[in-house]
């Protein structure tokens, strides 16, 4: 949890141990960027690789109070998870996967991972 200076909960992250995840596949490079594409980019579904990759930490949920967004709270919480999830180990960004992110979550995962090909996992597996 992330608690503000006003002693209010403004963020929460839930993580779990996982063994495998799937890489989000990039969009074709030949797609033209139009105003409509930009507006609907964050709503579009995506495809994942068929072959799984090893992952250690699954981010089930990230929530930040709407008035506190864009202040690096989600990034700070995820950095704390990377530092404390496995004792004595700092997780690499390639060892973390996100569960079926919302459109906002997809944008966050892309920015945090510094790649549109971040890892995702299924909560049911």
């Amino acid at each position: 949890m992330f608690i503000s200076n006003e002693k209010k909960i403004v963020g929460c992250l839930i993580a779990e141990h996982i063994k495998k995840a799937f890489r989000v596949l990039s969009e074709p490079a030949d797609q033209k960027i139009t105003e409509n594409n930009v507006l609907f980019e964050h709503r579009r579904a995506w495809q994942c690789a068929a072959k799984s990759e090893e992952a250690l930490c699954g981010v089930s949920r990230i929530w930040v109070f709407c008035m506190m967004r864009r202040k690096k709270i989600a990034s700070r919480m995820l950095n704390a998870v990377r530092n404390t999830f496995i004792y004595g180990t700092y997780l690499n960004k390639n060892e973390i996967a996100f569960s079926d992110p919302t459109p906002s979550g997809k944008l966050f995962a892309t920015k945090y991972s510094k790649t549109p090909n971040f890892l995702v996992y299924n909560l049911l597996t």
Side-chain angles (χ1 to χ4, degrees):
M1 280 201 253
F2 192 94
I3 300 175
S4 71
N5 292 336
E6 294 80 31
K7 308 289 187 231
K8 295 183 180 180
I9 297 171
V10 296
C12 181
L13 187 150
I14 301 171
E16 62 184 334
H17 288 277
I18 61 170
K19 295 182 180 179
K20 64 181 180 177
F22 300 88
R23 191 144 315 265
V24 172
L25 299 176
S26 294
E27 297 296 323
D30 62 347
Q31 281 189 336
K32 293 181 181 177
I33 304 291
T34 66
E35 187 175 320
N36 287 338
N37 283 353
V38 172
L39 291 174
F40 295 107
E41 169 65 25
H42 69 282
R43 294 184 187 158
R44 189 173 18 173
W46 59 88
Q47 293 181 322
C48 297
K51 184 179 177 188
S52 66
E53 298 181 28
E54 183 180 349
L56 301 173
C57 176
V59 178
S60 170
R61 303 283 187 275
I62 299 178
W63 169 82
V64 176
F65 177 60
C66 62
M67 301 299 285
M68 298 296 288
R69 292 182 183 164
R70 314 293 293 167
K71 297 181 184 212
K72 303 280 184 196
I73 292 172
S75 295
R76 290 172 63 187
M77 289 190 298
L78 196 47
N79 287 339
V81 167
R82 291 174 61 198
N83 193 40
T84 60
F85 193 71
I86 298 175
Y87 181 76
T89 303
Y90 188 74
L91 294 177
N92 185 302
K93 290 180 182 179
N94 285 326
E95 297 173 312
I96 296 174
F98 299 86
S99 69
D100 194 21
T102 63
S104 296
K106 182 182 178 187
L107 292 173
F108 169 75
T110 298
K111 186 173 180 181
Y112 185 83
S113 302
K114 295 186 171 118
T115 178
N117 307 111
F118 58 90
L119 292 172
V120 293
Y121 76 104
N122 188 339
L123 284 170
L124 303 175
T125 59

